[in-house]
Each structure stands twice: as C-alpha cells, then as structure tokens.
Amino acid sequence: MKTIQITLISFFILAFAKAYTAQAQQEFKAKATYIAFTKFDLPEDSTMTKKAESDPIVKAMMEQLKKGSKQEYTLEFTRTESSYDKVKQLATPSKPTNGISISFSASGGVGSTIYKNIEENSYIKQGNIMGKDFVIIDKLPSYEWKLLSETKKIGQYTCFKAVYVSIEQEEVEEEVEDDNDDEVNTSITSMVVEADPTITAWYTPDIPVSNGPGEYHGLPGLIVEVQQQETTILLKEIVLNPDEKLDLKKPRSGKKINQEDFDALQKKKSEEMMKNRGSGNGSFRVISIGG
C-alpha cells in the first residue's frame, strides 16, 4: 500500500513538473540589447584608391567604409517569436561632403527591422531602396551550423562556438573572380579587402531559445555574439521575463516582396545610379554588404 502511495505521489509530482515546465516555456520572454560594429579594410594601392582622387562619390564611399559604423539594437523575444529593431544612433552622422551622403548596413539582416517566427520558419523584414519602402516576406535562411567544443565567457554566460560557411557566398566569390577582366568595377565590393566568408557565432545554452540578432537563428541557445565578414554583433545586456509587455512588431510599411526579388531590384537600382550619377552630387545607400 505504501509503495502504491509513493508511486502515485511521484506520478503527481512528475505531472505537475511537466505542466509547470510547459507553462514556463509558454510564458518565457526576454529583452536583449546588442551592439553591431561594422568596419572595412581597404587596400591602399587599389584602382579605386586612384579613382577616388578624381571621383567625389568614390572618395566619399571609401571614407565612410574606413570609418565604419556602430549601432545599438533591441531584440525582444519569446521561445517562438522575436522582433529586432534599431533603438538609437550612437554617433552623430557626419555632414555630407560635396553634397554626398552615404550610409550602409551589413548582411544577415543586421541593420533591418525584422520579425521572426521560429515555429513557422518565416520572417518579415523592412527594406528600403533609394527612399522607397518594402516589406520583405520570406522563409528564414537555413544555417547548417557546425557545433564546436570551444567555449568562452561573455559576461556571465558560458558560450559555445559554432561556424557556418554559406554555399551562396562561395558562388558569389566565384562570380566576382570571373568579372575581374571587365572594365573597372566601381561597386562597393571592389573596394573591400576579401574577407573570410565564415560566419562565427557564440551561443549560450543557459538561455534555451533558438534565436539571435538579425536573421541569425538555429542554435541550441541564444546567440550572444556573431561575426560575419566585416560585422560583429555583441550582446550588451539582457533582461529575462521583464515586467513590461513585449512589442513584437511586424514591419507593414511598403510594397510586399520576397528576398530574391528585393535583392535583384536593389542590385539593378545601385548599378543604374552608378552609371547615371552625372556630377556626383546626391546620396548613395548600400542596403546590404557581404551577402
């Protein structure tokens, strides 16, 4: 009889623990702040360096790329959804030189407002091409991460290393090599020293959500730090289960488009602008660098 009672008690404790865990998972929420650093190394003896002496747009591009950028972002998330958005400008934008103003953001959706639904494997991202807004709706990119045993401490969290090399990035590099025999390439990528295409992420199982900044996701723990080419994103602070309600906003302003069509249109408009820049006055906005 006593054995039956113990068994029943154990059953009820286990059932309660499972129910409590399920409820905790359902109610889990957090708010994290990330800092994104982007800076480019430019070859000193390149054709573009010489071209910068006579072309104000090329000169302004090179100056901005050398200077880089530093931005702060907020990631609000539950176990299945998240909203990532820029919160403030850390540095006062420099005044345009010769009427030229340049801004840029890196790959991985780092500089975009983006809503992710991990459960549905989808995202909604805000995009802009030369002043026109777009709402990019597509499936989340698939990262086939290679999990490594290397660890390091970031703040209070023990983090594990993971790496990924995009097949698409390798194909892009081959295409760039094939174009080397063409006329002088005035694109942004021609100014930048070739970077390692490997994406390196550091995640912590202490926060068991498969999410991270920008479009990054797919690891057994929150991504605390990630580096892709010239951009490094680092967790600054995080509040678990904050009292305030999360604002999981979805971008809604602009024409709906998928990522492939957006990228193609962006490339087309950038090429048109470089060909028709005339006197060199105006602005140049690089929406995405690095794939």
Side-chain angles (χ1 to χ4, degrees), residues 88-105:
K88 63 180 179 180
Q89 184 83 24
L90 295 184
T92 304
S94 57
K95 294 182 179 179
T97 304
N98 296 326
I100 300 166
S101 176
I102 300 175
S103 63
F104 60 87
S105 61

Side-chain angles (χ1 to χ4, degrees), residues 36-101:
F37 306 89
T38 301
K39 194 171 183 180
F40 297 85
D41 291 326
L42 305 179
E44 295 297 331
D45 57 348
S46 68
T47 303
M48 298 309 297
T49 301
K50 296 177 181 177
K51 189 174 179 59
E53 297 175 2
S54 59
D55 192 321
I57 281 188
V58 174
K59 181 179 180 181
M61 283 181 183
M62 295 189 72
E63 289 177 351
Q64 184 63 38
L65 288 170
K66 286 180 180 179
K67 183 180 179 182
S69 70
K70 181 179 180 181
Q71 298 288 346
E72 185 172 315
Y73 298 87
T74 293
L75 177 69
E76 300 187 23
F77 61 96
T78 64
R79 292 189 185 275
T80 59
E81 295 178 278
S82 67
S83 178
Y84 176 82
D85 197 13
K86 183 189 296 185
V87 292
K88 63 180 179 180
Q89 184 83 24
L90 295 184
T92 304
S94 57
K95 294 182 179 179
T97 304
N98 296 326
I100 300 166
S101 176

Side-chain angles (χ1 to χ4, degrees), residues 2-283:
K2 190 173 182 181
T3 302
I4 295 174
Q5 287 179 335
I6 293 174
T7 302
L8 286 172
I9 290 171
S10 299
F11 172 79
F12 287 129
I13 290 175
L14 182 61
F16 175 81
K18 286 183 176 180
Y20 180 82
T21 300
Q23 183 181 21
Q25 289 178 340
Q26 204 170 26
E27 294 178 352
F28 175 83
K29 60 180 181 178
K31 186 173 183 178
T33 302
Y34 287 86
I35 303 293
F37 306 89
T38 301
K39 194 171 183 180
F40 297 85
D41 291 326
L42 305 179
E44 295 297 331
D45 57 348
S46 68
T47 303
M48 298 309 297
T49 301
K50 296 177 181 177
K51 189 174 179 59
E53 297 175 2
S54 59
D55 192 321
I57 281 188
V58 174
K59 181 179 180 181
M61 283 181 183
M62 295 189 72
E63 289 177 351
Q64 184 63 38
L65 288 170
K66 286 180 180 179
K67 183 180 179 182
S69 70
K70 181 179 180 181
Q71 298 288 346
E72 185 172 315
Y73 298 87
T74 293
L75 177 69
E76 300 187 23
F77 61 96
T78 64
R79 292 189 185 275
T80 59
E81 295 178 278
S82 67
S83 178
Y84 176 82
D85 197 13
K86 183 189 296 185
V87 292
K88 63 180 179 180
Q89 184 83 24
L90 295 184
T92 304
S94 57
K95 294 182 179 179
T97 304
N98 296 326
I100 300 166
S101 176
I102 300 175
S103 63
F104 60 87
S105 61
S107 56
V110 174
S112 307
T113 298
I114 179 170
Y115 164 83
K116 285 183 291 189
N117 190 312
I118 303 298
E119 206 167 47
E120 297 178 358
N121 191 39
S122 63
Y123 69 86
I124 304 173
K125 182 169 63 175
Q126 190 71 55
N128 185 285
I129 298 177
M130 298 180 182
K132 184 176 181 179
D133 288 332
F134 292 86
V135 176
I136 306 165
I137 303 174
D138 218 319
K139 293 295 183 182
L140 284 168
S142 178
Y143 296 103
E144 296 181 6
W145 297 104
K146 181 179 180 181
L147 306 184
L148 306 177
S149 59
E150 186 178 345
T151 65
K152 72 174 180 178
K153 201 82 171 178
I154 301 178
Q156 68 186 75
Y157 297 106
T158 298
C159 299
F160 292 81
K161 187 177 183 179
V163 296
Y164 168 71
V165 179
S166 169
I167 296 176
E168 292 181 0
Q169 181 63 35
E170 292 175 348
E171 292 175 348
V172 168
E173 289 178 353
E174 289 177 2
E175 290 177 5
V176 171
E177 290 176 3
D178 291 340
D179 290 340
N180 283 341
D181 294 333
D182 294 339
E183 294 181 4
V184 176
N185 184 2
T186 58
S187 68
I188 281 289
T189 54
S190 70
M191 300 183 194
V192 180
V193 174
E194 184 177 340
D196 185 349
T198 303
I199 300 174
T200 302
W202 294 89
Y203 67 95
T204 177
D206 293 341
I207 306 176
V209 294
S210 184
N211 212 331
E215 296 173 12
Y216 302 111
H217 69 103
L219 285 167
L222 180 69
I223 296 174
V224 176
E225 179 183 327
V226 62
Q227 181 175 3
Q228 181 173 6
Q229 297 187 331
E230 297 82 7
T231 298
T232 299
I233 315 164
L234 180 65
L235 179 69
K236 178 183 176 183
E237 61 182 4
I238 185 169
V239 178
L240 302 178
N241 296 310
D243 294 331
E244 67 269 22
K245 185 178 179 181
L246 298 185
D247 182 18
L248 300 178
K249 53 190 172 185
K250 301 178 182 180
R252 302 181 186 278
S253 175
K255 179 183 178 181
K256 293 182 180 179
I257 191 171
N258 63 38
Q259 189 68 61
E260 184 179 357
D261 290 344
F262 178 84
D263 292 343
L265 181 61
Q266 173 188 301
K267 181 180 179 181
K268 178 183 176 183
K269 293 297 182 182
S270 295
E271 290 174 349
E272 288 176 355
M273 184 172 185
M274 292 301 295
K275 289 178 181 178
N276 303 320
R277 65 184 184 269
S279 63
N281 293 327
S283 63

